[in-house]
Amino acid sequence: EQGDKMVTGHGADVDTLVFAGLINHVDGLINAGTIEARGDVTVGLGADGGNAGLVFGGAVNQTYTDSGGLKTTGPVYVSKSAGVVTLATPMSYNAAGQDLDIQSGTLDMSGFNLTVNDILSVSGTLFQGGGGLTAGMISITPSGLWKNISTGDVTLGAGGIVNDGVVKLDANGPGCGADDILIRSSSPGSVRSWNGSGFFLLRDVDV
């Protein structure tokens, strides 16, 4: 499919639709399939969600905008040969068991919050910045990088962190600065595990 697409209707059953242009989900359900976006993605105020999966693909830069409608509840993937997906609003995929998998390419939170109900998996690159990051579990594979050189906080669910790649949380750079990155449990008082064979750099954080 070429050009910009406005997704509308009710009960739409699809397999995989690949859109080269803008996707604006303005109304209705998207069910039983996968939408692959290769341009910008907007969830409109009237969107009714659905159980479809969503893939950010292709090689060009993309933006994600949530205008307040219901999101789809299937898995979300960043699977790009090049380019960056940049948040223009907070992103929350918070349906029960919903995952976000950054398989390749980069997701830049750009100062906005990111919420993932279940597993956030990073095989590409996650740039956090000043937005808060909440996930049931964070898994960094050997090729993955999670980088926060700003002040965005982290809230971990019961799965904790498994890092076999690189995790760099450094609020203020070299030296001893304020502990501006807060790392917290989603259940106060419950310990969250940090495991894996990867590289950790934690500086100017408050655990």
Side-chain angles (χ1 to χ4, degrees):
E1 296 284 346
Q2 298 292 325
D4 297 342
K5 298 297 176 185
M6 181 174 66
V7 182
T8 186
H10 291 274
D13 291 318
V14 299
D15 184 12
T16 299
L17 295 177
V18 179
F19 295 138
L22 166 72
I23 293 179
N24 184 5
H25 185 184
V26 298
D27 185 27
L29 300 164
I30 306 175
N31 281 329
T34 300
I35 296 292
E36 180 175 342
R38 296 184 178 178
D40 296 341
V41 173
T42 297
V43 179
L45 182 61
D48 296 306
N51 59 22
L54 173 63
V55 178
F56 294 88
V60 303
N61 293 333
Q62 298 168 272
T63 60
Y64 170 86
T65 303
D66 180 359
S67 297
L70 297 178
K71 271 70 69 181
T72 50
T73 59
V76 181
Y77 304 92
V78 176
S79 185
K80 299 181 63 60
S81 57
V84 179
V85 178
T86 301
L87 302 190
T89 63
M91 173 186 274
S92 178
Y93 282 93
N94 203 27
Q98 194 167 23
D99 300 330
L100 170 59
D101 188 354
I102 305 173
Q103 298 176 330
S104 57
T106 299
L107 176 62
D108 186 347
M109 292 169 55
S110 187
F112 293 101
N113 293 341
L114 171 62
T115 302
V116 179
N117 175 271
D118 198 18
I119 301 173
L120 170 60
S121 181
V122 182
S123 298
T125 300
L126 173 65
F127 288 136
Q128 182 177 353
L133 174 60
T134 300
M137 175 182 176
I138 300 176
S139 174
I140 313 297
T141 73
S143 62
L145 168 64
W146 168 22
K147 185 176 182 180
N148 179 4
I149 53 174
S150 186
T151 59
D153 298 332
V154 179
T155 303
L156 296 172
I161 293 175
V162 177
N163 174 32
D164 293 314
V166 176
V167 172
K168 182 178 181 180
L169 307 181
D170 184 2
N172 295 296
C176 185
D179 294 338
D180 287 328
I181 297 174
L182 306 183
I183 302 174
R184 297 290 185 263
S185 168
S186 60
S187 178
S190 297
V191 175
R192 300 312 192 203
S193 62
W194 290 57
N195 297 303
S197 59
F199 175 79
F200 288 93
L201 171 61
L202 305 179
R203 183 161 50 200
D204 297 334
V205 304
D206 181 310
V207 180

